[in-house]
Amino acid sequence: MKRSNFIFICADQMRYDALSVTGNRVAHTTNIDHIGARGATFHRHFTPNQICSPSRATMATGLYPRHHGLWRNGVALDERLPNLWQALSRAGYATRGVGKLHFQPLLASAERDMPESLAYWEKPGSEDWHGPYFGFDGVDLVMGEANESTRAGHYAAWLKRNHPEVVDLYEPEAGGGSRAEDLREVWKSPVPAELHYTSWIVDRAIDFIERQSKRPEPFGMFVSFPDPHHPFAPPRPYCDLFRPEKMPRPTIRAGELERMPAYLGEGDDPTKAPYIANGEQPREQGFLLRTDDISDETLATAIAHTHGMIQMIDDAVGRLLQALADSGMLNNTYLLFTSDHGELLGDHGLLRKGPPPYRQLLQVPLVLCGPGIRAGTNLDALTSHVDLFATIASLLGLPAPATDGIDLKPLIDGQVADVRDFLFAEYHPRRDAWLYNQSVVSKDWRFTRYPNQPAWGELFDLHEDPWEHWNLFPEQAFGEQARALNAVLDRRLPPQPQVGNEVLGAY
């Protein structure tokens, strides 16, 4: 029998509770849910970093950012480091990367000759390059979200060549007056859904599946959607599927931010674009916003549009599942769906992402199905993106190097109920050194310290306050608990504010 195939599906900025399978009462994610129904749903899965590139490099290497070196956006991953896609390729798999990879900085200079930089795509003939790249035999790149996706990459080149009239439709001004004045990244996109990058990504993935169905070797594919990352600008019909007035309101507890580190009293400007040009004064990673100056109507529209983007991804996943079924490969393919990190979406009075390691940012969905995985398995163990390389290699019977993670196959098989007592996360700032923070998460607690600002700290009782709305760190009664968890960090993740890898751009 042909060896099993593997498809890794990744969303960008999708929080754990975004899916109907994880309890969202608004979502209708029947296709992503179907992956979990066919196999396992992980209910306490976390990323060790709430920023795109560090998390994505962890998914590929199984290493914490301090060990793989991609410690913040704007830094490149070392291609010599062992990663999942290299392991698959060396084992005889045909490998393909489709969509957003983000292993290199968008703003790297032309001299670096990096295919995921904007400068690379200014060279004549760049659209003819398709790899190899980080273990992928070939890639089809989408770079950036919404209107940024038309600047560089294979999708941008395809769009300009085949549908040049659509390029300007990505701009917010084309939204027919739908752009919100108090949050300029909310609008209704007039881009035809069938020409949107979400559709283009799944079209390329299906082409690859159909080609591989006629070939003897197994395949491994990374299918990576840029959404539901802001801007909140899905095309029709998805921008109109969910009515803003029917959206659940963000969860905010009066006075909660006053108990948090002082930097949360500030925020990005909602009227500015969440991007940085070369040479512009740096703004902190994630472009964290306070929602004080955003109207309830605009915020509800952003939430509705987020659900629309997720629905579009779910429909794309349905097409992918159907292509596997039509090719006769569905039952012999492992399918994994997750996200690089989450989105605050108004909770705590905050939007987007940033330095605070809230559960809305660190906890992400994970569903996995494939040969030998019992349908309907629900797992409550603490798991992490550092575990994915070791687990996938184990499921496929591949050799893998040592990583920072744990092989989850015994957990999936039901041989064990838990794999660890603590999860770890670490945030390295772009601009302000005192925002460097480290977190430890257990089933009962989340503790965060700021080594460069010892007066700051975060402690949450996850039984009484599962979505982290009341910081207990200022209360003397919980000092012993904070000290115990601080000691765990001292043993397991000593402070390392500096990571020796060169910054090549803002992101």
Side-chain angles (χ1 to χ4, degrees):
M1 182 178 176
K2 185 177 177 180
R3 287 182 291 167
S4 296
N5 307 301
F6 171 62
I7 299 178
F8 190 131
I9 309 169
C10 186
D12 194 318
Q13 207 152 306
M14 182 187 289
R15 49 194 266 172
Y16 162 77
D17 60 347
L19 309 175
S20 40
V21 72
T22 52
N24 193 299
R25 296 182 179 180
V26 173
H28 304 288
T29 51
T30 54
N31 296 299
I32 300 170
D33 296 352
H34 186 61
I35 297 174
R38 288 174 60 89
T41 302
F42 296 74
H43 292 286
R44 296 198 189 209
H45 187 78
F46 290 73
T47 175
N49 187 286
Q50 63 268 40
I51 300 299
C52 297
S53 286
S55 178
R56 289 165 176 269
T58 290
M59 289 189 283
T61 65
L63 301 174
Y64 288 115
R66 60 165 60 194
H67 294 148
H68 61 57
L70 209 173
W71 53 280
R72 51 152 282 193
N73 284 353
V75 171
L77 183 64
D78 188 341
E79 290 192 66
R80 296 167 296 182
L81 272 179
N83 72 56
L84 169 63
W85 306 104
Q86 290 172 354
L88 286 165
S89 181
R90 288 170 180 164
Y93 278 67
T95 54
R96 194 83 185 177
V98 184
K100 180 179 179 179
L101 302 185
H102 213 178
F103 296 149
Q104 295 176 337
L106 280 167
L107 299 184
S109 63
E111 308 86 76
R112 298 285 179 167
D113 203 35
M114 289 184 169
E116 287 193 87
S117 69
L118 298 176
Y120 182 90
W121 292 86
E122 295 173 0
K123 301 189 312 181
S126 53
E127 65 269 20
D128 296 329
W129 174 88
H130 283 272
Y133 190 65
F134 283 97
F136 296 110
D137 300 331
V139 293
D140 299 287
L141 297 179
V142 177
M143 293 164 55
E145 306 82 21
N147 50 328
E148 293 295 305
S149 70
T150 65
R151 297 174 65 188
H154 295 108
Y155 171 70
W158 174 87
L159 196 66
K160 290 170 185 172
R161 184 172 61 251
N162 295 287
H163 302 280
E165 73 285 357
V166 172
V167 173
D168 287 342
L169 297 183
Y170 266 108
E171 296 303 322
E173 293 75 20
S178 63
R179 192 180 195 186
E181 290 299 323
D182 51 346
L183 184 60
R184 303 288 285 164
E185 60 191 87
V186 176
W187 72 88
K188 297 180 185 296
S189 173
V191 172
E194 66 274 13
L195 301 179
H196 190 270
Y197 50 73
T198 296
S199 299
W200 183 87
I201 288 167
V202 78
D203 288 344
R204 303 285 86 69
I206 289 171
D207 287 347
F208 181 71
I209 288 170
E210 291 174 347
R211 290 197 303 272
Q212 286 304 126
S213 69
K214 301 175 177 65
R215 298 184 59 84
E217 74 274 13
F219 70 84
M221 179 165 53
F222 188 52
V223 181
S224 183
F225 298 104
D227 290 344
H229 191 291
H230 59 268
F232 307 94
R236 289 185 170 87
Y238 297 98
C239 60
D240 297 323
L241 283 183
F242 298 90
R243 293 168 58 184
E245 67 273 17
K246 297 290 187 182
M247 293 298 98
R249 294 176 66 86
T251 305
I252 303 170
R253 184 170 174 179
E256 63 171 294
L257 291 185
E258 296 169 12
R259 303 174 65 86
M260 294 291 286
Y263 71 88
L264 287 176
E266 306 168 1
D268 209 48
D269 182 347
T271 64
K272 292 179 70 173
Y275 299 103
I276 302 173
N278 271 324
E280 184 182 340
Q281 183 70 22
R283 290 141 71 193
E284 191 50 64
Q285 293 188 99
F287 303 100
L288 182 71
L289 278 182
R290 288 191 62 145
T291 59
D292 308 58
D293 297 324
I294 300 171
S295 69
D296 290 346
E297 179 184 7
T298 294
L299 190 54
T301 302
I303 294 169
H305 283 188
T306 296
H307 280 291
M309 290 188 280
I310 292 169
Q311 189 62 56
M312 191 173 189
I313 291 170
D314 188 72
D315 288 350
V317 171
R319 290 183 56 206
L320 201 64
L321 292 171
Q322 189 60 54
L324 285 169
D326 291 345
S327 66
M329 295 193 292
L330 180 59
N331 292 331
N332 194 39
T333 299
Y334 286 97
L335 284 150
L336 183 154
F337 180 94
T338 191
S339 175
D340 54 359
H341 55 77
E343 157 71 58
L344 288 158
L345 212 59
D347 284 357
H348 313 289
L350 301 168
L351 193 68
R352 303 179 184 151
K353 58 186 182 286
Y358 279 119
R359 179 182 172 190
Q360 289 88 346
L361 298 181
L362 289 182
Q363 189 177 5
V364 292
L366 176 63
V367 291
L368 172 66
C369 71
I373 300 179
R374 182 171 54 87
T377 298
N378 284 282
L379 300 169
D380 198 44
L382 293 170
T383 61
S384 169
H385 276 351
V386 296
D387 303 329
L388 296 182
F389 187 177
T391 301
I392 294 158
S394 179
L395 290 170
L396 296 175
L398 305 181
T403 69
D404 292 324
I406 295 168
D407 175 7
L408 301 179
K409 188 173 184 300
L411 176 71
I412 296 166
D413 291 344
Q415 298 173 29
V416 298
D418 286 296
V419 293
R420 55 165 60 84
D421 295 323
F422 301 107
L423 286 167
F424 300 98
E426 187 170 35
Y427 176 87
H428 287 89
R430 170 190 288 145
R431 188 183 65 183
D432 299 322
W434 56 82
L435 298 180
Y436 169 66
N437 62 67
Q438 299 177 285
S439 298
V440 56
V441 180
S442 70
K443 286 191 176 181
D444 301 318
W445 299 92
R446 193 261 285 177
F447 170 74
T448 298
R449 67 183 182 187
Y450 293 77
N452 295 331
Q453 190 68 277
W456 290 353
E458 302 173 32
L459 179 69
F460 294 96
D461 181 338
L462 302 182
H463 280 301
E464 298 298 321
D465 182 21
W467 288 101
E468 304 179 346
H469 290 279
W470 203 246
N471 183 12
L472 298 172
F473 184 79
E475 298 187 18
Q476 189 172 358
F478 293 93
E480 184 176 343
Q481 184 63 55
R483 285 190 292 274
L485 292 169
N486 189 65
V488 173
L489 280 170
D490 280 342
R491 291 195 307 270
R492 304 281 296 275
L493 200 74
Q496 189 177 335
Q498 303 298 322
V499 178
N501 200 355
E502 182 183 4
V503 175
L504 303 178
Y507 55 81

